[in-house]
Amino acid sequence: MEQQQTGSPFLTGSPAPTQDEKTWGMIAHLSALVAGVIGLPFLGPLIVMLTKGKESPWVEAQAKEALNFQITVTIAIFVSAALICLAIGALLLPLVGLAALVLTIIAGIKANNGEMYRYPATLRLLK
């Protein structure tokens, strides 16, 4: 009897992702760090989802998870920046950035190990 994994659209009996899929899953997460340099962290996962996501449901799921998280982080950064005039934003902005960095790296490592990672406190805009 197959059981649904918590928070994962895949059955536990489904085949493990190939090394190529694991690599692209990791790239889906870590590409946000590269795209974040130009201020668009959601661009990296979006490109992976639109290109490699068509070839692999596993890569598509990783890219959607990364994209949802990066959209959430972008919203949190804008809110934190707006709150700088109230002084709380000056504390919140670095915390959001640090949390995004750490969670993105963790997700990339998990994807490279073939594990489905679910970011905490993320708006699930793409299903």
Coordinates of all heavy atoms in Angstrom, one line a residue, residues 37-123:
V37 N 21.1 38.9 -7.3 CA 22.1 39.9 -7.5 C 21.5 41.1 -8.3 O 21.8 42.2 -8.0 CB 23.4 39.3 -8.2 CG1 24.3 40.4 -8.5 CG2 24.0 38.3 -7.3
I38 N 20.7 40.8 -9.2 CA 20.0 41.9 -10.0 C 18.7 42.3 -9.4 O 17.9 43.0 -10.1 CB 19.9 41.5 -11.5 CG1 19.0 40.2 -11.7 CG2 21.3 41.3 -12.1 CD1 18.7 39.9 -13.1
G39 N 18.3 41.7 -8.3 CA 17.1 42.1 -7.6 C 15.9 41.4 -8.0 O 14.8 41.8 -7.7
L40 N 16.0 40.3 -8.8 CA 14.9 39.5 -9.2 C 15.1 38.0 -8.8 O 15.3 37.1 -9.7 CB 14.7 39.6 -10.7 CG 14.5 41.0 -11.2 CD1 14.6 41.0 -12.7 CD2 13.1 41.5 -10.8
P41 N 15.1 37.6 -7.5 CA 15.4 36.3 -7.1 C 14.4 35.2 -7.7 O 14.8 34.1 -7.8 CB 15.3 36.4 -5.6 CG 14.4 37.5 -5.3 CD 14.7 38.5 -6.4
F42 N 13.2 35.6 -8.0 CA 12.2 34.7 -8.6 C 12.5 34.3 -10.0 O 12.0 33.3 -10.5 CB 10.8 35.2 -8.4 CG 10.6 36.6 -9.1 CD1 10.4 36.7 -10.4 CD2 10.8 37.7 -8.3 CE1 10.2 37.9 -11.0 CE2 10.6 38.9 -8.9 CZ 10.3 39.1 -10.2
L43 N 13.4 35.0 -10.7 CA 13.7 34.8 -12.1 C 14.4 33.5 -12.4 O 14.1 32.8 -13.3 CB 14.5 36.0 -12.6 CG 14.7 36.0 -14.2 CD1 13.4 36.1 -14.9 CD2 15.6 37.2 -14.5
G44 N 15.3 33.1 -11.5 CA 16.0 31.8 -11.7 C 15.1 30.6 -11.6 O 15.1 29.8 -12.6
P45 N 14.3 30.4 -10.5 CA 13.4 29.3 -10.5 C 12.4 29.3 -11.6 O 12.0 28.3 -12.1 CB 12.7 29.5 -9.1 CG 13.7 30.3 -8.3 CD 14.4 31.2 -9.3
L46 N 12.0 30.5 -12.0 CA 11.0 30.6 -13.1 C 11.6 30.1 -14.4 O 10.9 29.4 -15.2 CB 10.6 32.1 -13.3 CG 9.6 32.4 -14.4 CD1 8.2 31.6 -14.2 CD2 9.3 33.9 -14.5
I47 N 12.8 30.5 -14.7 CA 13.5 30.0 -15.9 C 13.6 28.4 -15.9 O 13.3 27.8 -16.9 CB 14.8 30.7 -16.1 CG1 14.6 32.1 -16.5 CG2 15.6 30.0 -17.2 CD1 15.9 33.0 -16.5
V48 N 14.0 27.9 -14.8 CA 14.1 26.4 -14.6 C 12.8 25.8 -14.8 O 12.6 24.8 -15.5 CB 14.8 26.0 -13.3 CG1 14.7 24.5 -13.1 CG2 16.2 26.5 -13.2
M49 N 11.7 26.3 -14.2 CA 10.4 25.8 -14.3 C 9.9 25.8 -15.8 O 9.4 24.8 -16.3 CB 9.4 26.5 -13.5 CG 8.0 25.9 -13.5 SD 6.8 26.8 -12.5 CE 6.5 28.2 -13.6
L50 N 10.2 26.8 -16.5 CA 9.7 26.9 -17.9 C 10.5 26.1 -18.9 O 10.0 25.8 -19.9 CB 9.7 28.4 -18.3 CG 8.7 29.3 -17.6 CD1 8.8 30.8 -18.0 CD2 7.2 28.8 -17.8
T51 N 11.7 25.8 -18.5 CA 12.6 25.0 -19.4 C 12.6 23.6 -19.1 O 12.1 22.7 -19.8 CB 14.0 25.6 -19.5 OG1 14.6 25.7 -18.2 CG2 14.0 27.0 -20.2
K52 N 13.2 23.3 -17.9 CA 13.4 21.9 -17.5 C 12.2 21.3 -16.9 O 12.1 20.0 -16.8 CB 14.6 21.7 -16.6 CG 15.9 22.0 -17.3 CD 16.2 20.9 -18.3 CE 17.5 21.1 -19.0 NZ 17.8 20.0 -19.9
G53 N 11.3 22.1 -16.4 CA 10.1 21.6 -15.7 C 9.2 20.8 -16.7 O 8.4 19.9 -16.2
K54 N 9.3 21.1 -17.9 CA 8.5 20.4 -18.9 C 9.0 18.9 -19.1 O 8.2 18.1 -19.5 CB 8.5 21.1 -20.3 CG 7.9 22.5 -20.2 CD 8.0 23.2 -21.5 CE 7.4 24.6 -21.4 NZ 7.6 25.4 -22.6
E55 N 10.2 18.7 -18.8 CA 10.9 17.4 -19.0 C 10.7 16.5 -17.8 O 10.8 15.3 -18.0 CB 12.4 17.6 -19.3 CG 12.6 18.4 -20.6 CD 14.1 18.7 -20.8 OE1 14.9 18.1 -20.1 OE2 14.4 19.6 -21.6
S56 N 10.5 17.1 -16.6 CA 10.5 16.3 -15.4 C 9.5 16.8 -14.4 O 9.7 18.0 -14.0 CB 11.9 16.2 -14.8 OG 11.9 15.7 -13.5
P57 N 8.6 16.0 -13.9 CA 7.7 16.5 -12.9 C 8.4 16.8 -11.6 O 8.0 17.7 -10.8 CB 6.7 15.3 -12.7 CG 6.8 14.5 -13.9 CD 8.2 14.7 -14.4
W58 N 9.5 16.1 -11.3 CA 10.2 16.3 -10.1 C 10.9 17.7 -10.1 O 10.9 18.5 -9.2 CB 11.2 15.2 -9.9 CG 11.8 15.2 -8.5 CD1 11.2 14.6 -7.4 CD2 13.0 15.8 -8.0 NE1 12.0 14.8 -6.3 CE2 13.1 15.5 -6.6 CE3 14.0 16.5 -8.6 CZ2 14.1 15.9 -5.9 CZ3 15.1 17.0 -7.8 CH2 15.1 16.7 -6.5
V59 N 11.5 18.0 -11.2 CA 12.2 19.3 -11.4 C 11.2 20.4 -11.4 O 11.4 21.5 -10.7 CB 13.0 19.4 -12.7 CG1 13.6 20.8 -12.9 CG2 14.2 18.4 -12.7
E60 N 10.0 20.2 -12.0 CA 8.9 21.2 -12.0 C 8.5 21.5 -10.6 O 8.3 22.6 -10.2 CB 7.8 20.7 -12.8 CG 6.6 21.7 -12.9 CD 5.4 21.3 -13.7 OE1 5.2 20.0 -13.8 OE2 4.7 22.1 -14.2
A61 N 8.3 20.4 -9.7 CA 7.9 20.6 -8.3 C 8.9 21.4 -7.5 O 8.6 22.2 -6.7 CB 7.6 19.2 -7.7
Q62 N 10.2 21.1 -7.8 CA 11.3 21.8 -7.1 C 11.3 23.3 -7.5 O 11.4 24.2 -6.6 CB 12.6 21.2 -7.4 CG 12.8 19.8 -6.9 CD 13.0 19.8 -5.4 OE1 13.5 20.7 -4.7 NE2 12.6 18.7 -4.7
A63 N 11.1 23.5 -8.8 CA 11.1 24.9 -9.3 C 9.9 25.7 -8.8 O 10.0 26.9 -8.4 CB 11.2 24.9 -10.8
K64 N 8.8 25.1 -8.7 CA 7.6 25.7 -8.2 C 7.7 26.1 -6.7 O 7.3 27.1 -6.3 CB 6.3 24.9 -8.4 CG 5.8 24.9 -9.8 CD 4.6 24.1 -10.0 CE 4.0 24.1 -11.4 NZ 2.8 23.3 -11.6
E65 N 8.3 25.1 -6.0 CA 8.5 25.4 -4.6 C 9.5 26.6 -4.4 O 9.2 27.5 -3.6 CB 9.0 24.1 -3.9 CG 9.2 24.2 -2.4 CD 7.9 24.4 -1.6 OE1 6.8 24.0 -2.1 OE2 8.0 24.9 -0.5
A66 N 10.6 26.6 -5.1 CA 11.5 27.7 -5.1 C 10.9 29.0 -5.5 O 11.1 30.0 -4.9 CB 12.8 27.3 -5.9
L67 N 10.1 28.9 -6.6 CA 9.5 30.1 -7.1 C 8.5 30.7 -6.0 O 8.5 31.9 -5.8 CB 8.8 29.9 -8.4 CG 8.1 31.0 -9.1 CD1 9.1 32.1 -9.4 CD2 7.5 30.5 -10.4
N68 N 7.7 29.9 -5.4 CA 6.7 30.3 -4.4 C 7.5 31.0 -3.3 O 7.1 32.0 -2.8 CB 5.9 29.1 -3.9 CG 4.8 28.8 -4.8 OD1 4.2 29.6 -5.5 ND2 4.4 27.5 -4.8
F69 N 8.6 30.4 -2.8 CA 9.4 30.9 -1.7 C 10.0 32.3 -2.1 O 9.9 33.2 -1.3 CB 10.5 30.0 -1.3 CG 11.3 30.5 -0.2 CD1 10.8 30.7 1.1 CD2 12.7 30.8 -0.4 CE1 11.6 31.2 2.1 CE2 13.5 31.3 0.6 CZ 12.9 31.5 1.9
Q70 N 10.5 32.4 -3.3 CA 11.2 33.6 -3.7 C 10.2 34.7 -3.9 O 10.5 35.9 -3.6 CB 12.0 33.4 -5.0 CG 13.2 32.5 -4.8 CD 14.1 32.9 -3.6 OE1 14.3 34.0 -3.3 NE2 14.7 31.9 -2.9
I71 N 9.0 34.4 -4.3 CA 7.9 35.5 -4.4 C 7.6 35.9 -3.0 O 7.4 37.1 -2.8 CB 6.7 34.9 -5.2 CG1 7.0 34.7 -6.6 CG2 5.5 35.8 -5.0 CD1 6.0 34.0 -7.4
T72 N 7.5 35.0 -2.1 CA 7.2 35.3 -0.7 C 8.3 36.2 -0.1 O 8.0 37.2 0.6 CB 7.0 34.0 0.2 OG1 5.9 33.2 -0.4 CG2 6.6 34.4 1.6
V73 N 9.5 35.8 -0.4 CA 10.6 36.6 0.2 C 10.6 38.0 -0.4 O 10.9 39.0 0.3 CB 12.0 35.9 -0.1 CG1 13.2 36.8 0.1 CG2 12.1 34.7 0.7
T74 N 10.3 38.1 -1.7 CA 10.3 39.4 -2.4 C 9.2 40.3 -1.7 O 9.5 41.5 -1.4 CB 10.0 39.3 -3.9 OG1 11.1 38.5 -4.5 CG2 10.0 40.6 -4.6
I75 N 8.1 39.8 -1.4 CA 7.0 40.5 -0.8 C 7.5 40.9 0.6 O 7.3 42.1 1.0 CB 5.7 39.7 -0.7 CG1 5.1 39.5 -2.1 CG2 4.7 40.3 0.2 CD1 4.0 38.5 -2.2
A76 N 8.1 40.0 1.4 CA 8.6 40.3 2.7 C 9.7 41.4 2.7 O 9.7 42.3 3.6 CB 9.2 39.1 3.4
I77 N 10.5 41.4 1.7 CA 11.5 42.5 1.6 C 10.9 43.8 1.3 O 11.3 44.8 1.9 CB 12.6 42.1 0.5 CG1 13.5 41.0 1.0 CG2 13.4 43.3 0.0 CD1 14.4 40.4 0.0
F78 N 9.9 43.9 0.4 CA 9.2 45.1 0.2 C 8.5 45.7 1.4 O 8.6 46.8 1.7 CB 8.2 45.0 -1.0 CG 8.8 45.0 -2.3 CD1 8.5 44.0 -3.3 CD2 9.8 45.9 -2.7 CE1 9.0 44.0 -4.5 CE2 10.4 45.9 -4.0 CZ 10.0 44.9 -4.9
V79 N 7.9 44.8 2.2 CA 7.2 45.2 3.4 C 8.2 45.7 4.4 O 8.0 46.7 5.1 CB 6.3 44.0 4.0 CG1 5.8 44.3 5.4 CG2 5.2 43.7 3.0
S80 N 9.3 44.9 4.5 CA 10.4 45.3 5.5 C 10.9 46.7 5.1 O 11.2 47.5 6.0 CB 11.5 44.3 5.5 OG 11.0 43.1 6.0
A81 N 11.2 46.9 3.8 CA 11.7 48.2 3.3 C 10.7 49.3 3.6 O 11.2 50.4 4.0 CB 12.0 48.1 1.9
A82 N 9.4 49.1 3.5 CA 8.4 50.1 3.8 C 8.4 50.4 5.3 O 8.1 51.5 5.7 CB 7.1 49.6 3.3
L83 N 8.7 49.4 6.1 CA 8.7 49.6 7.6 C 9.9 50.2 8.1 O 10.1 50.4 9.3 CB 8.4 48.3 8.2 CG 7.0 47.7 8.0 CD1 6.9 46.3 8.6 CD2 5.9 48.6 8.6
I84 N 10.9 50.5 7.3 CA 12.1 51.1 7.8 C 11.8 52.5 8.4 O 12.5 52.8 9.4 CB 13.2 51.3 6.6 CG1 13.8 49.9 6.4 CG2 14.3 52.3 7.0 CD1 14.9 49.8 5.3
C85 N 10.9 53.2 7.9 CA 10.5 54.5 8.5 C 10.0 54.3 9.9 O 10.0 55.3 10.7 CB 9.5 55.3 7.6 SG 8.0 54.4 7.4
L86 N 9.5 53.1 10.3 CA 9.1 52.9 11.7 C 10.1 52.2 12.5 O 9.9 51.7 13.6 CB 7.8 52.0 11.6 CG 6.6 52.6 10.9 CD1 5.5 51.5 10.9 CD2 6.1 53.8 11.6
A87 N 11.3 52.0 12.0 CA 12.5 51.4 12.6 C 12.4 49.9 12.7 O 13.5 49.3 12.8 CB 12.7 52.0 14.0
I88 N 11.3 49.3 12.7 CA 11.2 47.8 12.8 C 11.7 47.2 11.5 O 12.3 46.1 11.5 CB 9.8 47.3 13.1 CG1 9.8 45.9 13.4 CG2 8.8 47.6 11.9 CD1 8.6 45.3 14.1
G89 N 11.6 47.9 10.4 CA 12.1 47.4 9.1 C 13.6 47.3 9.1 O 14.1 46.4 8.4
A90 N 14.3 48.1 9.8 CA 15.7 48.0 9.9 C 16.2 46.7 10.5 O 17.3 46.2 10.3 CB 16.3 49.2 10.6
L91 N 15.4 46.2 11.4 CA 15.7 44.9 12.1 C 15.2 43.8 11.2 O 15.8 42.7 11.1 CB 15.0 44.9 13.5 CG 15.5 45.9 14.5 CD1 14.7 45.8 15.7 CD2 17.0 45.6 14.8
L92 N 14.0 44.0 10.6 CA 13.3 42.9 9.9 C 14.0 42.6 8.5 O 14.2 41.4 8.1 CB 11.9 43.3 9.6 CG 10.9 42.2 9.3 CD1 10.9 41.2 10.4 CD2 9.5 42.9 9.2
L93 N 14.5 43.6 7.8 CA 15.1 43.4 6.5 C 16.3 42.5 6.5 O 16.4 41.6 5.7 CB 15.5 44.8 5.9 CG 15.8 44.9 4.4 CD1 14.6 44.3 3.6 CD2 16.1 46.3 4.0
P94 N 17.3 42.7 7.4 CA 18.4 41.7 7.4 C 18.0 40.3 7.9 O 18.5 39.3 7.4 CB 19.4 42.3 8.5 CG 18.9 43.6 8.8 CD 17.5 43.8 8.4
L95 N 17.0 40.2 8.7 CA 16.5 38.9 9.1 C 15.9 38.1 8.0 O 16.1 36.9 7.8 CB 15.6 39.0 10.3 CG 16.2 39.4 11.7 CD1 15.1 39.6 12.7 CD2 17.2 38.4 12.1
V96 N 15.1 38.9 7.2 CA 14.4 38.2 6.0 C 15.5 37.8 5.0 O 15.5 36.7 4.5 CB 13.5 39.2 5.3 CG1 13.0 38.7 4.0 CG2 12.3 39.5 6.2
G97 N 16.5 38.6 4.8 CA 17.6 38.3 3.9 C 18.4 37.1 4.4 O 18.7 36.2 3.6
L98 N 18.7 37.0 5.6 CA 19.5 35.9 6.2 C 18.7 34.6 6.1 O 19.2 33.6 5.8 CB 19.9 36.2 7.6 CG 20.8 35.2 8.3 CD1 22.1 34.9 7.6 CD2 21.0 35.5 9.8
A99 N 17.4 34.7 6.5 CA 16.6 33.5 6.5 C 16.4 33.0 5.1 O 16.5 31.8 4.8 CB 15.2 33.8 7.1
A100 N 16.3 33.9 4.1 CA 16.1 33.5 2.7 C 17.4 32.8 2.2 O 17.3 31.8 1.5 CB 15.8 34.7 1.8
L101 N 18.6 33.3 2.6 CA 19.8 32.7 2.2 C 20.0 31.3 2.8 O 20.3 30.4 2.0 CB 21.0 33.6 2.7 CG 22.4 33.1 2.4 CD1 22.7 33.0 0.9 CD2 23.4 33.9 3.1
V102 N 19.8 31.2 4.1 CA 19.9 29.9 4.7 C 18.9 28.9 4.2 O 19.3 27.7 3.9 CB 19.8 30.1 6.3 CG1 19.7 28.7 7.0 CG2 20.9 30.9 6.8
L103 N 17.7 29.2 4.1 CA 16.7 28.3 3.6 C 16.9 27.9 2.2 O 16.6 26.7 1.8 CB 15.3 28.8 3.8 CG 14.8 29.0 5.3 CD1 13.5 29.7 5.4 CD2 14.7 27.6 6.0
T104 N 17.3 28.8 1.3 CA 17.6 28.5 -0.1 C 18.8 27.5 -0.2 O 18.7 26.6 -1.0 CB 17.9 29.8 -0.8 OG1 16.8 30.7 -0.8 CG2 18.3 29.5 -2.3
I105 N 19.8 27.7 0.6 CA 20.9 26.7 0.6 C 20.5 25.4 1.1 O 20.8 24.3 0.5 CB 22.1 27.3 1.4 CG1 22.7 28.5 0.7 CG2 23.2 26.2 1.7 CD1 23.7 29.3 1.5
I106 N 19.7 25.3 2.2 CA 19.2 24.0 2.7 C 18.4 23.3 1.6 O 18.5 22.1 1.4 CB 18.4 24.3 4.0 CG1 19.3 24.7 5.1 CG2 17.6 23.0 4.3 CD1 18.5 25.1 6.4
A107 N 17.5 24.1 0.9 CA 16.7 23.5 -0.1 C 17.5 23.0 -1.3 O 17.2 21.9 -1.8 CB 15.7 24.5 -0.6
G108 N 18.5 23.7 -1.6 CA 19.4 23.2 -2.7 C 20.1 21.9 -2.3 O 20.2 21.0 -3.2
I109 N 20.6 21.8 -1.1 CA 21.2 20.6 -0.6 C 20.3 19.4 -0.6 O 20.6 18.3 -1.1 CB 21.9 20.8 0.8 CG1 23.0 21.8 0.7 CG2 22.3 19.5 1.4 CD1 23.6 22.3 2.0
K110 N 19.1 19.7 -0.1 CA 18.0 18.6 -0.1 C 17.7 18.1 -1.5 O 17.6 16.9 -1.7 CB 16.8 19.1 0.6 CG 16.9 19.4 2.1 CD 16.9 18.2 2.9 CE 16.8 18.6 4.4 NZ 16.8 17.4 5.2
A111 N 17.5 19.1 -2.4 CA 17.2 18.7 -3.8 C 18.3 17.9 -4.4 O 18.1 16.9 -5.1 CB 16.9 20.0 -4.6
N112 N 19.6 18.3 -4.1 CA 20.7 17.5 -4.7 C 20.8 16.1 -4.1 O 21.3 15.2 -4.7 CB 22.0 18.3 -4.4 CG 23.1 17.7 -5.3 OD1 22.9 17.5 -6.5 ND2 24.3 17.6 -4.7
N113 N 20.2 15.9 -2.9 CA 20.1 14.6 -2.3 C 18.9 13.8 -2.7 O 18.6 12.7 -2.2 CB 20.1 14.7 -0.7 CG 21.4 15.2 -0.2 OD1 22.5 15.0 -0.8 ND2 21.4 15.8 1.0
G114 N 18.0 14.4 -3.6 CA 16.9 13.7 -4.1 C 15.6 13.8 -3.2 O 14.7 13.1 -3.3
E115 N 15.7 14.8 -2.2 CA 14.6 15.0 -1.3 C 13.7 16.2 -1.7 O 14.3 17.2 -2.1 CB 15.1 15.2 0.1 CG 16.0 14.1 0.7 CD 16.6 14.5 2.0 OE1 16.0 15.1 2.8 OE2 17.8 14.2 2.2
M116 N 12.4 16.0 -1.5 CA 11.5 17.2 -1.7 C 11.5 18.0 -0.5 O 11.2 17.6 0.6 CB 10.1 16.6 -2.0 CG 9.1 17.7 -2.5 SD 9.6 18.3 -4.1 CE 8.7 19.8 -4.1
Y117 N 11.9 19.3 -0.7 CA 11.9 20.2 0.5 C 10.8 21.2 0.4 O 10.5 21.7 -0.7 CB 13.2 21.0 0.4 CG 13.4 22.0 1.6 CD1 13.7 21.5 2.8 CD2 13.3 23.3 1.4 CE1 13.8 22.4 3.9 CE2 13.4 24.2 2.5 CZ 13.7 23.7 3.7 OH 13.8 24.6 4.8
R118 N 10.1 21.5 1.5 CA 9.0 22.4 1.6 C 9.5 23.6 2.5 O 9.8 23.4 3.6 CB 7.7 21.8 2.2 CG 7.2 20.7 1.4 CD 6.3 21.1 0.3 NE 5.1 21.7 0.8 CZ 4.1 22.1 0.0 NH1 4.2 21.9 -1.3 NH2 3.0 22.6 0.5
Y119 N 9.5 24.8 1.9 CA 10.0 26.0 2.7 C 8.9 26.3 3.7 O 7.7 26.2 3.4 CB 10.1 27.2 1.7 CG 11.3 27.1 0.8 CD1 11.1 26.7 -0.5 CD2 12.5 27.6 1.2 CE1 12.2 26.7 -1.4 CE2 13.6 27.6 0.4 CZ 13.4 27.2 -0.9 OH 14.5 27.2 -1.8
P120 N 9.3 26.7 4.9 CA 8.3 27.1 5.9 C 7.7 28.5 5.6 O 8.4 29.3 4.9 CB 9.1 27.1 7.2 CG 10.5 27.3 6.8 CD 10.6 26.7 5.4
A121 N 6.5 28.8 6.0 CA 5.9 30.1 5.9 C 6.0 30.7 4.5 O 6.4 31.8 4.3 CB 6.6 31.1 6.9
T122 N 5.6 29.9 3.6 CA 5.6 30.3 2.1 C 4.2 30.4 1.6 O 3.4 29.5 1.8 CB 6.4 29.3 1.3 OG1 7.7 29.3 1.8 CG2 6.4 29.6 -0.1
L123 N 3.9 31.4 0.8 CA 2.6 31.5 0.1 C 2.7 30.5 -1.1 O 3.6 30.6 -1.9 CB 2.4 32.9 -0.5 CG 2.4 34.1 0.6 CD1 2.4 35.4 -0.2 CD2 1.1 33.9 1.4

